[in-house]
Amino acid sequence: MNYDEILEKMLNGELKPYQLDKVFGSKIATEIRRKFIEKKVGIEFKHISNYSIDEEMAMKKNIENMIGAIQIPLGFAGPLKINGEYAKGEFYIPLATTEGALVASVNRGCSIITKCGGATVRVIDDKMTRAPCLKTKTVVDALKVRDWIKENFERIKEVAESTTRHGKLIGIEPILIVGRNLYPRFVFKTGDAMGMNMVTIATEKACNFIEDELKKEGIYVKTVAVSGNACVDKKPSGMNLINGRGKSIVAEVFLTEKEVNKYLKTTSQAIAEVNRLKNYIGSAISNSMGFNAHYANIIGAIFLATGQDEAHIVEGSLGITMAEVEDDGLYFSVTLPDVPIGTVGGGTRVETQKECLEMLGCYGDNKALKFAEIVGGAVLAGELSLLGALAAGHLGKAHQELGR
Ligand SMILES: CC(C)(COP(=O)([O-])OP(=O)([O-])OC[C@H]1O[C@@H](n2cnc3c(N)ncnc32)[C@H](O)[C@@H]1OP(=O)([O-])[O-])[C@@H](O)C(=O)NCCC(=O)NCCSC(=O)C[C@@](C)(O)CC(=O)[O-]
Ligand SMILES: NC(=O)C1=CN([C@@H]2O[C@H](COP(=O)(O)OP(=O)(O)OC[C@H]3O[C@@H](n4cnc5c(N)ncnc54)[C@H](OP(=O)(O)O)[C@@H]3O)[C@@H](O)[C@H]2O)C=CC1
C-alpha cells in the first residue's frame, strides 16, 4: 500500500488514525496522520512537522494520535542564587512562554535576589494524594468501613505498595463521609516521580482489597470512582491550599531599603501595601484562592519547559505572598502549598524537556527536592519583580515595551 492508498482508506473510514503505529511504526504513522489532517483541513503544516523528538518514545508513554510537535519560545532567567537544603549555588532557569515581559521580570527578580545574598528555600512537605469515592448501603456501614480502614491500615499499605518500588503509603486521611459514601484520601510518598500514575494504580488495588475484605464481613462497599475529587487533582482547591499536595515550598529573601530603592525603583512600604491591598484584600473580595500576583506565570513557564503535567499549573497557582516592612528594608516570601512535580517519569523523558531539567542539574533520581527548591526560588523572583513593578507603577509600561 502506498501513502495515497492508506490515506484513501483513512478518509473513507476503513483505517483509523491510531491503528497505524502497529503496522508502520510511529515515525511513519505520525507522518501519515499529519497528511490525513492536512487533507481534512486543507492546510500544509510546515512547522508542526518540524521537530527532533523521537516519535516511538513519545507514542509509548506520552501521546496518542501524534501528528507532530508545537514549539514554544524558550528563554532563561538567572543566575539565581539559591540557599536550599538540596539546591545550593547559582542556577539558570528555563522558561517556556509566549508572554512578552515575563522572562525579563523573572530575570530581574533573579538578578536582585542574587545581589542580595540569595533565596532561602525549603520544601516543608512532600506527598501525593488520591481519594476514591466508595459507596456503601447506609451511613452506619460507611462508619464501619471508615473504622475498618483505620484499623487495617498496615494491611492496606502492604497491598497498595505491592504495585510500585518507590511509592509508599504514609496515611489515609481525612476519610470524609457524605451520606453513605466515603472519600478516603490516600497519601503517598512517590520518590522523584510526580506520582499520579503510581498512586492511582496503587489506590485501585487497595480499593479492590477493601471491597473484598469487607464483603467477607457482610458489608457492601463499591468503588464508584478511583478518583472521587477529594484528591484534589488538577482543580483549584481549599483542601490542597490547607493540607498541601505535591511539594509544599517556602522561599524567602531579605532586601535592605537601599536595595529596594535601587533595584526595584520603589519602597518597602509601597510593596507591602500592594501586597496587602492586592494579594490579600483583592483576592478575598473575589473569593480567589491565589493570595499572590502571578505564581501561575512562573510555574506554567517552568512546567512547560521541564515536562511537568501542564494541568497542574492550576494547583501551583495556589499560595500566599508575604511582604513585610522590617527595620531597614523588606522581608519577602512565597508559600506554595501545592506543586506537583517530578524529575523522572511523565513528560520529563521527552528530549527537549529532559535538556531543560539537565540545565538545572535536575534530571533523574534524587533530584525532585532540589528541583522543588529551584522552582520555589524562581517563583520568588517573578513575584518580587511584579510586585515591585506594580508598586512603582511600571507594569503597563513594561508590557507596552516588551509585549506589544
Ligand atoms: C520589565 C522590567 C523587568 C523592567 O524593569 P527595570 O527595572 O525598569 O529594568 P532595567 O533595565 O533597570 O533592568 C533591571 C533588570 O531587569 C532585567 N531585564 C530588563 N530587561 C530585560 C530584558 N529585555 N530581558 C531580560 N532581562 C531584562 C535584568 O535582570 C536587569 O538587571 P541586570 O541583569 O541587568 O542587572 C520590569 O518593569 C518588570 O519586571 N515588570 C513586571 C512585568 C511582569 O512581571 N509581568 C508578568 C506578567 S503580568 C501577568 O501576566 C499577570 C498579572 C499582572 O495580570 C497578574 C496580576 O493580576 O497581578
Ligand atoms: N493516572 C492518573 O490518574 C493520572 C496520570 N497523570 C499522568 O501521570 C504521569 C506521571 O505519573 P508518575 O507516576 O509520576 O510517572 P510514571 O507513570 O512515568 O511512573 C514513574 C515511574 O518511574 C519509576 N521510577 C524510577 N525511578 C524512580 C524514582 N527515583 N522515584 C520514583 N519513581 C521512579 C517508577 O517505578 P515504581 O512505580 O516501580 O517505583 C514508575 O514506574 C504524567 O504523565 C501525568 O500526566 C496525571 C494525573 C492523573
Side-chain angles (χ1 to χ4, degrees), residues 19-38:
Q19 294 172 330
L20 299 171
D21 301 71
K22 278 198 183 123
V23 186
F24 304 104
S26 287
K27 190 169 186 56
I28 291 172
T30 299
E31 199 181 326
I32 299 172
R33 272 191 294 265
R34 191 167 57 244
K35 287 194 186 304
F36 169 72
I37 297 295
E38 284 178 343

Side-chain angles (χ1 to χ4, degrees), residues 99-109 111 115 263-265 278 292-294 297 382 385-386 389-390 394-395 397-399 402:
E99 183 177 16
L102 179 59
V103 175
S105 180
V106 182
N107 200 31
R108 177 169 83 149
S111 163
K115 281 177 201 146
Y263 302 132
L264 288 159
K265 297 149 185 151
K278 169 190 170 62
N292 63 76
H294 72 149
N297 261 339
S385 179
L386 177 53
L390 286 165
H394 287 174
L395 182 66
K397 179 171 157 275
H399 283 258
L402 293 168

Side-chain angles (χ1 to χ4, degrees), residues 173-388:
E173 57 181 358
I175 304 177
L176 302 169
I177 292 181
V178 181
R180 57 190 180 173
N181 308 303
L182 296 103
Y183 298 81
R185 201 174 195 237
F186 285 69
V187 184
F188 291 85
K189 290 276 182 200
T190 60
D192 293 292
M194 177 275 281
M196 275 316 291
N197 277 340
M198 192 188 279
V199 307
T200 302
I201 294 162
T203 304
E204 212 163 65
K205 182 132 189 196
C207 288
N208 293 339
F209 175 70
I210 293 168
E211 284 175 0
D212 292 347
E213 290 301 302
L214 282 155
K215 197 172 172 189
K216 289 181 199 160
E217 298 189 16
I219 297 170
Y220 167 86
V221 192
K222 180 172 169 12
T223 308
V224 176
V226 69
S227 169
N229 265 17
C231 315
V232 177
D233 192 41
K234 302 184 173 177
K235 269 86 64 181
S237 144
M239 164 94 84
N240 292 357
L241 182 66
I242 295 162
N243 291 337
R245 187 167 194 264
K247 307 307 186 243
S248 302
I249 311 164
V250 176
E252 65 186 10
V253 65
F254 291 89
L255 306 181
T256 65
E257 193 60 31
K258 264 195 189 149
E259 289 165 340
V260 174
N261 300 161
K262 184 171 173 199
Y263 302 132
L264 288 159
K265 297 149 185 151
T266 182
T267 62
S268 301
Q269 194 77 44
I271 291 180
E273 183 173 45
V274 169
N275 189 53
R276 186 167 53 84
L277 294 181
K278 169 190 170 62
N279 284 345
Y280 300 163
I281 308 296
S283 299
I285 58 169
S286 52
N287 209 11
S288 163
M289 274 181 275
F291 294 89
N292 63 76
H294 72 149
Y295 292 2
N297 261 339
I298 304 99
I299 291 286
I302 297 181
F303 274 30
L304 290 176
T306 60
Q308 310 305 316
D309 187 326
E310 63 275 8
H312 283 144
I313 296 166
V314 68
E315 297 185 43
S317 74
L318 301 174
I320 302 171
T321 295
M322 298 197 70
E324 292 176 322
V325 179
E326 299 274 279
D327 282 348
D328 177 32
L330 181 71
Y331 167 81
F332 194 85
S333 72
V334 294
T335 298
L336 298 115
D338 184 3
V339 185
I341 48 177
T343 57
V344 304
T348 64
R349 59 172 83 87
V350 178
E351 292 86 334
T352 44
Q353 286 81 336
K354 179 171 179 251
E355 280 182 4
C356 286
L357 280 170
E358 285 167 347
M359 189 191 298
L360 297 167
C362 284
Y363 181 71
D365 290 344
N366 300 317
K367 292 294 193 304
L369 293 170
K370 177 182 176 190
F371 181 46
E373 289 182 345
I374 297 171
V375 171
V379 171
L380 183 75
E383 187 76 353
L384 176 67
S385 179
L386 177 53
L387 282 200

Side-chain angles (χ1 to χ4, degrees), residues 130-185:
R130 188 44 111 192
C133 172
L134 304 180
K135 184 176 178 174
T136 67
K137 284 194 169 150
T138 66
V139 63
V140 177
D141 279 357
L143 283 168
K144 283 184 191 157
V145 174
R146 186 178 69 182
D147 290 345
W148 190 92
I149 290 174
K150 286 183 183 168
E151 283 158 18
N152 289 277
F153 174 75
E154 288 303 328
R155 291 172 72 202
I156 298 170
K157 178 176 164 70
E158 196 182 326
V159 171
E161 291 179 4
S162 69
T163 62
T164 165
R165 290 161 299 154
H166 294 83
K168 302 285 167 231
L169 183 66
I170 55 169
I172 306 178
E173 57 181 358
I175 304 177
L176 302 169
I177 292 181
V178 181
R180 57 190 180 173
N181 308 303
L182 296 103
Y183 298 81
R185 201 174 195 237

